[in-house]
């Protein structure tokens, strides 16, 4: 039988690392874990000695992970989550294979509003033992996939196909490909002449090539916080926007939607999880429900250029 060595970190040491990172200090971590501050300090020093690297920068305002600490904490979160899954899956197997336990989901705003609700409704009906927990994260920078890489989520609804490579240890699969459309106030005779309303999440590397080739698209004169604000500004006549199908679900009648044609931009929406959790019953259960809801629930209003299932 394999034995632990002096260099192995125990689960309680991993929990301390995560708590220090989450709370920003040794004292706050001690309070969260019901330990003394000296016990937390001793545990962190022991972990640093075993790993051979400084994991936190100590200062008057608290403790901040070093690059080595960020990597260690991300792995610690993922390992602790696997221990939780081990317990839940074993209990489920003892109960005729029932899927149960928490499922941490992260999604960008429009997916959380329009894609997740029907999938979660089906998930709860089929698997009442699963406890979904949803966080909405902006799809900029490391985005939703970064939450999975950092061990903060089990599965992310993400936009795929960008220029940045997937973080190590993660796997991705497409769900559907959605078209973009030109959006403007209903009844406007020349919507392409309007100023552009945009938001930071809108144009990733998957649409930049098409975007750069369009001489009729001006620089944005209004930059909104999210796609809901963009839709509201467009509806009120403050400009036009180029938006993907998910963002246009439930668009009011005051908004006109024009197809950008067969050469218009699209984006691929899919899910990202870790290689270890991809086979877990809770993740597999959600993926099944996501795939079952995509064809009916994601399309451009008015029946235009509906979403296409991703080629897998």
């Amino acid at each position: 039988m394999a034995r632990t060595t002096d260099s192995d970190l125990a689960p309680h040491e991993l929990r301390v690392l995560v708590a220090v990172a989450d709370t920003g200090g040794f004292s706050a971590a001690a309070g969260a874990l019901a330990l003394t501050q000296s016990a937390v300090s001793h545990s962190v020093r022991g972990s640093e000695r075993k790993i051979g690297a400084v994991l936190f920068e100590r200062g008057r305002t608290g403790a901040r992970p070093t690059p080595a600490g960020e990597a260690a904490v991300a792995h610690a979160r993922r390992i602790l989550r696997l221990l939780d899954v081990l317990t839940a899956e074993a209990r489920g197997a003892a109960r005729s294979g029932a899927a149960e336990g928490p499922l941490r989901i992260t999604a960008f705003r429009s997916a959380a509003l329009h894609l997740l609700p029907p999938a979660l409704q089906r998930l709860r009906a089929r698997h009442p033992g699963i406890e979904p927990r949803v966080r909405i994260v902006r799809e900029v920078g490391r985005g939703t996939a970064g939450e999975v890489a950092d061990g903060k989520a089990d599965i992310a609804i993400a936009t795929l196909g960008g220029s940045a490579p997937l973080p190590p240890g993660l796997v991705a699969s497409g769900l559907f490909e959605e078209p973009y459309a030109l959006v403007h106030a209903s009844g406007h005779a020349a919507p392409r002449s309007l100023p552009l309303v945009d938001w930071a999440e809108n144009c990733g590397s998957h649409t930049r090539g098409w975007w750069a080739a369009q001489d009729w698209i001006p620089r944005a004169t209004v930059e909104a916080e999210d796609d809901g604000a963009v839709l509201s500004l467009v509806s009120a006549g403050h400009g036009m926007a180029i938006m993907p199908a998910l963002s246009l679900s439930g668009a009011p009648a005051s908004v006109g939607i024009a197809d950008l044609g067969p050469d218009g931009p699209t984006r691929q929406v899919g899910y990202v999880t870790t290689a270890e959790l991809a086979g877990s019953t809770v993740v597999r259960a959600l993926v099944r429900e996501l795939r079952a809801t995509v064809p009916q629930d994601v399309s451009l209003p008015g029946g235009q250029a509906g979403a296409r299932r991703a080629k897998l």
Side-chain angles (χ1 to χ4, degrees):
M1 180 181 294
R3 295 184 298 174
T4 59
T5 68
D6 290 341
S7 62
D8 291 335
L9 269 64
H12 70 270
E13 292 175 302
L14 301 179
R15 292 188 181 94
V16 168
L17 296 181
V18 171
V20 173
D22 287 347
T23 63
F26 287 20
S27 178
L33 297 172
L35 298 172
T36 64
Q37 183 173 340
S38 61
V40 169
S41 298
H42 177 76
S43 178
V44 171
R45 286 196 302 269
S47 296
E48 291 176 327
R49 183 172 59 255
K50 291 177 180 181
I51 293 173
V54 175
L55 303 180
F56 292 95
E57 294 178 355
R58 284 80 158 170
R60 293 181 179 179
T61 58
R64 184 175 62 181
T66 63
E70 290 178 351
V73 169
H75 284 293
R77 287 196 185 100
R78 288 165 64 171
I79 291 168
L80 291 170
R81 178 61 180 134
L82 284 177
L83 293 175
D84 291 340
V85 169
L86 181 155
T87 301
E89 300 251 319
R91 287 175 178 167
R95 300 171 186 168
S96 304
E100 60 180 52
L103 175 60
R104 303 173 305 163
I105 306 162
T106 185
F108 56 93
R109 180 183 178 276
S110 57
L113 285 175
H114 307 299
L115 179 62
L116 271 181
L120 291 179
Q121 184 176 23
R122 293 168 62 104
L123 183 75
R124 286 191 169 100
R126 294 175 185 268
H127 305 283
I130 295 180
E131 306 161 20
R133 302 171 184 175
V134 180
R135 289 184 66 234
I136 300 175
V137 176
R138 297 187 75 194
E139 192 69 327
V140 293
R142 299 176 72 238
T144 58
E147 296 290 296
V148 176
D150 291 343
K152 297 177 180 179
D154 303 327
I155 184 171
I157 310 302
T159 53
L160 307 180
S163 57
L166 203 63
L170 303 191
V171 294
S173 184
L175 292 169
F176 59 91
E177 186 179 356
E178 62 175 336
Y180 281 72
L182 173 63
V183 188
H184 55 89
S186 292
H188 197 282
R192 292 193 179 200
S193 66
L194 293 169
L196 177 67
V197 182
D198 204 4
W199 80 104
E201 282 182 301
N202 190 27
C203 185
S205 60
H206 43 275
T207 58
R208 284 198 184 103
W210 178 89
W211 199 284
Q214 312 305 309
D215 56 9
W216 58 273
I217 302 179
R219 291 176 62 88
T221 56
V222 179
E223 294 187 5
E225 180 67 19
D226 57 47
D227 52 351
V230 171
L231 206 55
S232 177
L233 288 164
V234 168
S235 175
H238 295 292
M240 59 89 172
I242 297 169
M243 305 181 73
L246 272 180
S247 295
L248 298 176
S249 299
S254 56
V255 171
I257 300 171
D259 187 1
L260 290 169
D263 297 325
T266 63
R267 73 174 179 181
Q268 189 179 49
V269 176
Y271 66 88
V272 176
T273 185
T274 66
E276 303 90 358
L277 289 174
S280 67
T281 56
V282 289
V283 167
R284 289 168 58 196
L286 177 63
V287 169
R288 282 194 296 269
E289 302 311 333
L290 286 170
R291 293 198 184 283
T293 57
V294 161
Q296 293 79 25
D297 296 337
V298 184
S299 61
L300 283 176
Q304 301 179 57
R308 298 183 289 275
R309 288 184 72 98
K311 297 178 180 178
L312 304 178

